[in-house]
Amino acid sequence: MRFLGAGGQNGRLMVSSIWTLAWPTVLEQALQTAETYVDTAMVGRLGAGASAAVGLTTTSTWLINSPMFALSIGVLSCIAKADGAGNPKKVRTAAAQSVWLTLLSGAVLGVAGMALSPVLPIWLGVQPEIYRDAYLYFFITSMPMLMRAAMILFGGVLRAVGNTRSPLIVNVIANLINIVLNALLIYHPTKLAGGLVFPGLGLGVAGSAAATAIAQACGGILMFAAFCRDERLTPRGFGLRINRGVMKECVRVALPIAGGRVSACFGQVLFTGLVSRLGTLALATHTIALAAEEAFYVPGYGMQTAASTLAGNAAGEGSKRALRRSSLTITALAVGMMGGMSLFLFLFPSHVMRIFTRNADVVNQGAVLLRMIALSEPMFAVAIIMEGVFNGLGDTRAPLFFSIFCMWGVRIGGTVFCVRLLGLGLVAVWGCMIGDNVTRCVLLSVRFARGSWEKCFNRPCNAPDESGLDAA
């Protein structure tokens, strides 16, 4: 489904086309964030130690998810370009490669996650009293990794052809399963009004992990079913043969993204380790504030996929004008939405923190952090959309270097200096995190303004030598 023609569109029609593509993904991100809110709030009622145990492994989960997200973007870029160029055969060939990439990444990362789970909390400098919960949470959530890979990769494939509603429906179902199972597995039986008893197994943090694992398994199965039902993508009647040319194209785009995400997530793991050394209360505050902030950048990440898809379509059509107009329009929309939401975050940070915890110290310190991050949200929106544009074009090497520099030079380097040398606390740590986001925004914006992406238009994406469709 091509949303932008080479001749471009008037402003109102372009916004309408962008919103048609983006709103299901924005809503999907919002629902996933709502699930995170519910998870964090439910676990938070078990105490600061439980919040810290789950939060400690969150960045490691991001790390292990990184290769799968990168592969999904590689496939999305390839499919979007082929779709923009009117090459349905290559679209289906690239979709077939996603099946192999799902099987490989899910199996390898699942085994790695379960194998590392006993030692990961030790590496992160966990407090002894929360070691068991942190270990069990990461082990259990790593078990359905193949299904998690299916949700991520097949969701990306569906979005690449403009089918954003199916991933939305699947994620709604998975989120509902997770919330219901959280209530059943985390808490002990609870007496309700009228003498009724709400059942519960009282598994605590392990129950939250089990709920997440079951929900991901169901989501993976449903996402694969949606993939098979889409006539533009289904392997039925087409086969699943590995095509070296198309596979190489997908992996070529994915490798720098994977490198950037893995580097960033290793940085996040180290970042969390530095925070954990400030104490359990600081770690709980950091974890809850991060979860609270997540809702306020939902529009940016929701529209990032639309930016990638439209950029890939424009490259396939060979229209630089369509790329500029769609990219700038999406950026303006994301900045407006995230800027408006960040105003609420700035004005009412304590109210947001109280959703997750009743601990007054956590609420007060978290409110300071949220007010700080609210000021940088519009610049973060620009960085999110620009990253999506470059991903859709397959221009991923320079953003890789930007990611490494910002994470390790600005965030980690600044945090080590502030915490280890100056003896500062969590406010300084979040200042370094904000510096990372602002620097990334500037670097990506300058690259886009200079037109460095124009090399992506030099070769037509439907050329046989590039697609590999003529290979034996």
Side-chain angles (χ1 to χ4, degrees):
M1 182 183 296
R2 285 171 283 173
F3 285 83
L4 296 175
Q9 300 174 308
N10 64 55
R12 182 175 298 177
L13 184 57
M14 176 175 288
V15 171
S16 176
S17 294
I18 289 170
W19 189 242
T20 298
L21 182 61
W23 77 260
T25 311
V26 173
L27 182 56
E28 181 184 338
Q29 288 283 333
L31 290 171
Q32 288 176 349
T33 301
E35 180 193 9
T36 300
Y37 266 47
V38 172
D39 271 354
T40 305
M42 285 181 158
V43 172
R45 296 187 185 279
L46 299 175
S51 294
V54 174
L56 189 76
T57 61
T58 298
T59 49
S60 301
T61 300
W62 295 344
L63 172 63
I64 210 164
N65 285 347
S66 295
M68 296 181 289
F69 279 113
L71 290 171
S72 75
I73 293 170
V75 176
L76 182 150
S77 175
C78 183
I79 291 176
K81 288 181 181 179
D83 195 31
N87 190 340
K89 184 178 180 182
K90 185 176 178 182
V91 168
R92 293 190 72 182
T93 301
Q97 309 314 298
S98 70
V99 177
W100 294 105
L101 292 171
T102 297
L103 293 172
L104 178 63
S105 62
V108 171
L109 294 171
V111 171
M114 288 185 286
L116 292 174
S117 57
V119 297
L120 181 65
I122 298 173
W123 290 349
L124 294 176
V126 69
Q127 304 296 323
E129 63 268 21
I130 63 173
Y131 167 81
R132 182 178 179 275
D133 281 343
Y135 150 59
L136 283 176
Y137 190 87
F138 195 71
F139 181 85
I140 294 170
T141 55
S142 294
M143 292 174 67
M145 193 65 68
L146 181 60
M147 295 299 98
R148 193 191 303 180
M151 284 192 72
I152 294 171
L153 271 88
F154 296 137
V157 170
L158 289 163
R159 295 182 191 100
V161 293
N163 182 357
T164 52
R165 296 192 182 192
S166 293
L168 167 63
I169 294 170
V170 169
N171 275 282
V172 168
I173 295 172
N175 290 349
L176 290 175
I177 291 172
N178 185 49
I179 292 171
V180 171
L181 290 179
N182 266 341
L184 292 172
L185 299 179
I186 293 177
Y187 306 116
H188 292 285
T190 304
K191 288 185 179 181
L192 305 176
L196 297 176
V197 177
F198 187 84
L201 296 182
L203 299 178
V205 171
S208 175
T212 299
I214 294 170
Q216 287 179 347
C218 295
I221 293 170
L222 292 173
M223 197 72 80
F224 179 67
F227 167 78
C228 290
R229 284 197 304 268
D230 195 307
E231 294 299 325
R232 297 162 295 180
L233 305 170
T234 180
R236 292 196 304 269
F238 190 79
L240 289 173
R241 187 180 67 168
I242 294 178
N243 184 290
R244 289 173 295 175
V246 176
M247 181 70 80
K248 181 179 178 181
E249 182 180 348
C250 295
V251 173
R252 176 185 59 79
V253 173
L255 280 177
I257 298 173
R261 285 180 176 260
V262 167
S263 172
C265 287
F266 267 124
Q268 290 281 10
V269 170
L270 179 57
F271 188 62
T272 302
L274 290 169
V275 174
S276 72
R277 286 167 172 79
L278 297 175
T280 299
L281 185 64
L283 180 58
T285 303
H286 174 73
T287 299
I288 291 173
L290 282 178
E293 184 217 357
E294 188 174 335
F296 295 86
Y297 53 70
V298 161
Y301 278 109
M303 301 184 80
Q304 187 186 61
T305 300
S308 296
T309 301
L310 294 176
N313 286 171
E317 295 173 357
S319 176
K320 298 177 184 178
R321 181 169 178 263
L323 174 68
R324 289 192 185 92
R325 295 190 64 192
S326 66
S327 300
L328 293 175
T329 303
I330 295 177
T331 301
L333 291 172
V335 168
M337 295 176 69
M338 285 181 61
M341 293 178 67
S342 66
L343 179 61
F344 177 88
L345 184 63
F346 184 84
L347 295 175
F348 306 104
S350 297
H351 295 76
V352 176
M353 288 295 296
R354 289 194 188 100
I355 296 173
F356 306 101
T357 181
R358 298 170 184 173
N359 186 305
D361 292 333
V362 173
V363 169
N364 292 335
Q365 188 169 17
V368 174
L369 303 180
L370 293 182
R371 189 160 277 162
M372 290 171 57
I373 202 73
L375 297 174
S376 69
E377 291 293 284
M379 288 172 282
F380 190 31
V382 175
I384 291 171
I385 300 302
M386 287 293 104
E387 181 183 75
V389 171
F390 289 124
N391 287 344
L393 292 171
D395 182 13
T396 54
R397 292 185 181 180
L400 163 64
F401 296 122
F402 295 163
S403 175
I404 292 173
F405 170 74
C406 291
M407 172 57 71
W408 292 92
V410 179
R411 183 179 301 204
I412 301 299
T415 298
V416 170
F417 179 78
C418 290
V419 173
R420 294 289 182 86
L421 299 181
L422 300 182
L424 301 177
L426 202 53
V427 170
V429 169
W430 272 58
C432 296
M433 185 173 72
I434 292 169
D436 172 354
N437 292 337
V438 172
T439 305
R440 195 188 310 268
C441 166
V442 172
L443 292 173
L444 290 169
S445 299
V446 169
R447 180 171 175 78
F448 182 84
R450 289 180 174 176
S452 304
W453 43 267
E454 292 188 6
K455 63 179 183 294
C456 299
F457 288 77
N458 292 338
R459 295 181 66 194
C461 79
N462 57 345
D465 61 321
E466 182 179 355
S467 69
L469 295 179
D470 296 341

